[in-house]
Amino acid sequence: MLAFRVIRLALAAALLFSLAACGKTRPRADLIFINGAEPESIDPHIVTDQVGMRVASALFEGLCRIDEAGKPQPGLAERWDVTPDRKTYTFHLRPGTTWSDSTPLTTRDFLYSWQRILSPDFGADYASQLYVIKNASAFHEGKLKDFAQVGVAALDDRTLRVELENPTPYFIDLCAITPFSPVPRHIIEKHGTAWIKPGLLIGNGAYILEDWLLDDRISLRRNERYWDTANVPLQTIDVLPISEPNTAINYFLTGQADLIMDKGMVPTSLTAKLKQQPYFHTGPFLGSFFTRFNVTRAPFDNPKIRLAFSLAIDRNRITEKITQLGERNAFSLTPPGAGQNYQPPPGPEFNPERARQLLAEAGYPGGKGFPRVEHLYFPKPIERSIAVELQAMWQEHLGVSVDLAKQEWKIYLDSMKEKNYHLCRSSWVGDYNDPGTFLEMFLSTNGNNRTGWASPQYDELLAAAAREPDQTLRNTLFQQAEKLLVTDDCVIIPIYHYVGVQFYHADRLTGIQPNMIDDHPFRCMRWKKSK
């Protein structure tokens, strides 16, 4: 425990110095939460990263919302009716619901919001999540110009009808994720892209945005006009964008932060000690860490080279030597057991001899003449450790040199989006418990694809899975698609399946529990006794 005492003393001294220097303090928030980075955005129709979604989901709420167990429950809609064919849902909004500025919130806000995210010119990466709605895909792809033909209609101010393309067993789960949230038309049309700034942003979630100081904090305050505000215990929350694990742990151990919920915030040097502490909580969830190829950039436009890079990876060297949290080695993008007991097909395992053979067949025997390429990652110690280990394995087993390129979170996301990379670290956390939340990411029309890979065969397999009512046959179609993605075309290299990690004192803070989608709403959290 000596290391922990040194950490506490060092941070306490730094804190006292900074307080003396500024000469004043601000009131402590009810909860101080350490987020892993500065959000790319908090617009629910733009945000794609978990750090941004945590904030956006506190500010906005859709027809449904997630509870502390990660399950969907009624949100703005107090109830809904479903037709016998499971293709038409009629949602009944709660009476008296308003935006945080008291403007009435009606079903027409959903029409505006869903048209906004599906607009081809808007460029939302998550627009494909709405493709389960009748004609949503055709509208987003520009094949259909009239939004009135999309399967959503406001029957009156409180009644919304949604028609689906096919029966979708996870549709209610979708209604709880941020892309399905309404946004305030009257504010967006008045302020344009500046509408998400403090003082301008109007939401309908459990919290409102009080302040946003870049690289310092996002301050949230309870929304007193939220329909369920009586059951939101915490009045104020500070969200700190700390990406350095040692700094985050320092804040937590010295009481300057109450909660960490980021699997990347465990310092490798302290993992064994931290796992023994009562405030360390973990559990499996639907998340995967993988390497993504840019298939439009040589030499990774050759699937043989991509497969060679995959076969050269010994995952044990990462999960046992670096991450050390009990993660399962991944040979698929989708974690086993997702949805209704989906079992992904076996993917490429460690086989350096076959890897060298494929590289030679591609024209680079022993790595001779192979061009210099870059592996993109973002600055966390564990991310660098994984990148260095991958770099070493590709050198050792293939004889190729891979440079490491480190970029800050927002720049890293932009580089992926613009396909300005050769290889890059990637991760995905399921938005709902179904294989589709992973596999649909690599549809040719999905904004989260970011590889340049487009396969009509893959697209059709997933379309067929969406139409298939028989779960066994549906899983078979998913397996065929995943084999194409991971093995045949080798667009990605699965590395390991995540376990969730949370740091908090369970004897004091409650309303948090590990769940399969790693979603922990702030509105569920509360102190057992006064702090």
Side-chain angles (χ1 to χ4, degrees), residues 26 38 198 211-219 239 241:
R26 59 187 293 271
E38 188 74 63
D211 209 351
W212 187 354
L213 303 176
L214 289 177
D215 299 319
D216 182 12
R217 69 178 183 274
I218 291 176
S219 295
V239 181

Side-chain angles (χ1 to χ4, degrees), residues 362-530:
Y364 303 103
K368 184 176 181 181
F370 195 83
R372 297 299 288 258
V373 296
E374 283 188 343
H375 179 276
L376 179 64
Y377 71 101
F378 62 87
K380 283 186 180 178
I382 193 168
E383 297 287 348
R384 173 167 175 78
S385 296
I386 292 173
V388 169
E389 197 67 35
L390 292 173
Q391 178 190 51
M393 285 189 274
W394 288 322
Q395 176 66 55
E396 176 184 349
H397 301 304
L398 298 177
V400 302
S401 296
V402 175
D403 296 329
L404 301 182
K406 177 178 68 175
Q407 293 182 348
E408 294 297 329
W409 180 248
K410 289 186 178 181
I411 302 172
Y412 153 82
L413 291 175
D414 286 340
S415 293
M416 261 207 306
K417 185 177 293 187
E418 299 300 323
K419 293 188 283 295
N420 185 23
Y421 70 93
H422 288 102
L423 310 101
C424 72
R425 64 78 62 204
S426 298
S427 62
W428 191 256
V429 175
D431 295 304
Y432 48 91
N433 190 1
D434 187 82
T437 190
F438 289 89
L439 300 178
E440 288 170 5
M441 174 173 36
F442 292 99
L443 288 168
S444 59
T445 55
N446 194 301
N448 288 307
N449 185 321
R450 301 179 180 182
T451 63
W453 182 67
S455 168
Q457 180 185 358
Y458 185 86
D459 292 353
E460 177 50 38
L461 284 168
L462 289 188
R467 296 189 297 266
E468 180 55 61
D470 183 275
Q471 190 59 48
T472 300
L473 295 177
R474 185 170 180 263
N475 282 346
T476 298
L477 291 166
F478 279 140
Q479 289 169 341
Q480 294 172 9
E482 188 152 14
K483 180 176 180 294
L484 183 62
L485 173 72
V486 175
T487 302
D488 297 347
D489 281 8
C490 196
V491 183
I492 62 170
I493 306 175
I495 307 295
Y496 60 85
H497 299 302
Y498 280 125
V499 294
V501 173
Q502 302 90 35
F503 290 84
Y504 65 94
H505 294 283
D507 58 331
R508 306 176 214 165
L509 183 64
T510 187
I512 307 166
Q513 61 176 281
N515 60 67
M516 292 305 292
I517 59 172
D518 198 34
D519 196 339
H520 310 278
F522 294 133
R523 60 178 164 73
C524 297
M525 299 177 191
R526 56 199 177 277
W527 293 102
K528 291 185 176 180
K529 52 188 176 182
S530 174

Side-chain angles (χ1 to χ4, degrees), residues 241-267:
I242 297 175
S243 58
E244 169 56 49
N246 284 322
T247 303
I249 295 299
N250 285 347
Y251 268 63
F252 178 78
L253 292 177
T254 56
Q256 301 308 305
D258 306 305
L259 175 65
I260 304 173
M261 298 189 297
D262 197 318
K263 51 207 168 288
M265 285 299 184
V266 183

Side-chain angles (χ1 to χ4, degrees), residues 44-46 110-152 162-163 165 179-181 183 445:
H45 296 166
I46 292 177
F110 282 93
L111 297 189
Y112 165 77
S113 301
W114 291 2
Q115 181 172 357
R116 177 183 187 247
I117 190 172
L118 286 170
S119 171
D121 296 333
F122 187 70
D125 288 341
Y126 258 84
S128 60
Q129 297 283 28
L130 281 74
Y131 281 8
V132 297
I133 300 173
K134 183 179 178 180
N135 289 332
S137 173
F139 182 81
H140 182 238
E141 294 169 11
K143 300 173 184 176
L144 187 68
K145 304 298 183 182
D146 184 8
F147 186 74
Q149 296 182 47
V150 176
V152 54
V162 183
E163 297 179 68
E165 291 280 4
F180 278 73
S181 298
V183 291
T445 55

Side-chain angles (χ1 to χ4, degrees), residues 168-186:
T168 305
Y170 53 89
F171 180 62
I172 293 302
D173 298 70
L174 286 175
C175 289
I177 65 175
T178 53
F180 278 73
S181 298
V183 291
R185 180 175 188 169
H186 63 294

